Amino acid sequence: MLWGYNVGSGVTAPLPIKLDNKSHCHALITGSSGSGKSYGMLFLIGSLLKENPEIDIYLCDFKNSEDFVFLSTYVHYYGGNDCYKGVMEYYNSFCEGRENKTGLRRKLLIFDEYPAAISYYSTKDKQEKTKYATDLLNSIAEILMLGRGIGYGVWIVTQRADASLFANGARDNFMIFLGLGRMSKEQKGMIFAGEDVPSKVYQRGEGCLLADGCPLMEVKIPKIKNIVNWKRHIKDILCGKS
């Protein structure tokens, strides 16, 4: 699928960045407010479905974003507090997939505003003596470590990529790291450790991408010419399967 265009200093013309979802199924997508994450996610979901219309997507939208309200009737859309339910349903499917490794369609969990959800459920756990946050951390960690071989991927979308958000060192299992917009020195060190990251200030929809087997690339998310049609394309494919 297309992840954007390589616009690095050594590139004479923008080059498409295409990565196989089978080998690069786990992605960590970061960026501060105003970096273009939500717009980028719309582009990436549409791009994925163009190449893999058969894939089952579970979308957890913790902040109930206006960007994804068009998918509110989709069977695997989970907004706000329903995100816990979404992850658990995905995890249960993953566990079934480990038992029966044949005849399964590829699946992808997308969790937007993941740290905010962990923070919310951690507070809820302290107040109500539950373990929602632990369930989320452990379930996602297990899928990150074992999901690729049976076709289960995870995209985590966050403003910060703190290691504490990923149990048992699971952050090391991401195959793609995408950082958009302004990134602090600390943030660059978290997701692009050991890489020579350009010191330039990136605009909305621009940033850096590091994928397994590839050098660090400066990336630009292309403009969606008709956002209404793009959303319709996404909804028609997803809702047509549900």
Side-chain angles (χ1 to χ4, degrees):
M1 61 167 282
L2 179 66
W3 278 80
Y5 287 87
N6 185 351
V7 293
S9 57
V11 179
T12 56
L15 297 173
I17 301 172
K18 290 194 171 184
L19 299 168
D20 189 341
N21 184 250
K22 293 181 180 179
S23 58
H24 292 75
C25 60
H26 301 326
L28 182 58
I29 301 165
T30 71
S32 59
S33 179
S35 64
K37 289 197 310 299
S38 295
Y39 182 89
M41 288 308 304
L42 283 174
F43 172 78
L44 292 174
I45 292 171
S47 176
L48 172 64
L49 290 172
K50 278 188 175 182
E51 296 292 331
N52 301 276
E54 76 289 344
I55 194 168
D56 290 331
I57 293 178
Y58 289 58
L59 177 59
C60 292
D61 176 21
F62 186 69
K63 65 178 181 180
N64 285 309
S65 169
E66 291 183 2
D67 296 292
F68 299 111
V69 69
F70 72 101
L71 289 175
S72 60
T73 59
Y74 173 49
V75 66
H76 291 313
Y77 170 86
Y78 307 89
N81 294 346
D82 284 341
C83 288
Y84 176 82
K85 174 184 176 183
V87 172
M88 291 300 102
E89 288 186 359
Y90 190 75
Y91 178 71
N92 289 336
S93 176
F94 158 77
C95 291
E96 292 175 4
R98 291 191 65 197
E99 294 296 322
N100 175 21
K101 298 180 182 179
T102 61
L104 296 174
R105 292 196 304 200
R106 300 195 68 81
K107 300 181 187 294
L108 174 66
L109 171 68
I110 302 174
F111 203 136
D112 194 12
E113 296 297 335
Y114 177 65
I118 295 299
S119 177
Y120 168 80
Y121 285 117
S122 295
T123 300
K124 188 179 181 67
D125 290 344
K126 292 177 182 178
Q127 294 174 342
E128 302 179 9
K129 300 188 183 305
T130 50
K131 56 185 184 69
Y132 294 115
T134 300
D135 288 345
L136 291 178
L137 290 168
N138 290 340
S139 297
I140 287 178
E142 188 174 341
I143 298 167
L144 284 171
M145 289 186 283
L146 301 172
R148 183 177 69 169
I150 56 173
Y152 283 76
V154 176
W155 290 1
I156 295 295
V157 187
T158 172
Q159 291 193 21
R160 289 176 56 84
D162 298 316
S164 60
L165 296 170
F166 306 100
N168 305 316
R171 191 175 65 176
D172 295 337
N173 290 275
F174 287 106
M175 299 94 178
I176 299 172
F177 295 89
L178 173 61
L180 293 174
R182 292 176 176 269
M183 291 179 283
S184 66
K185 183 177 180 181
E186 180 186 17
Q187 183 71 350
K188 290 177 182 178
M190 285 182 187
I191 59 177
F192 301 122
E195 298 292 329
D196 185 14
V197 181
S199 59
K200 65 192 292 185
V201 176
Y202 293 104
Q203 302 302 312
R204 180 181 176 88
E206 299 176 345
C208 293
L209 185 147
L210 181 64
D212 283 357
C214 303
L216 181 75
M217 294 174 278
E218 292 183 82
V219 63
K220 182 178 179 63
I221 303 295
K223 182 178 180 180
I224 299 172
K225 294 181 179 179
N226 189 318
I227 194 71
V228 174
N229 286 345
W230 191 263
K231 288 182 176 181
R232 184 180 299 119
H233 149 72
I234 293 173
K235 184 175 182 179
D236 286 349
I237 293 177
L238 292 180
C239 293
K241 295 183 297 185
S242 59

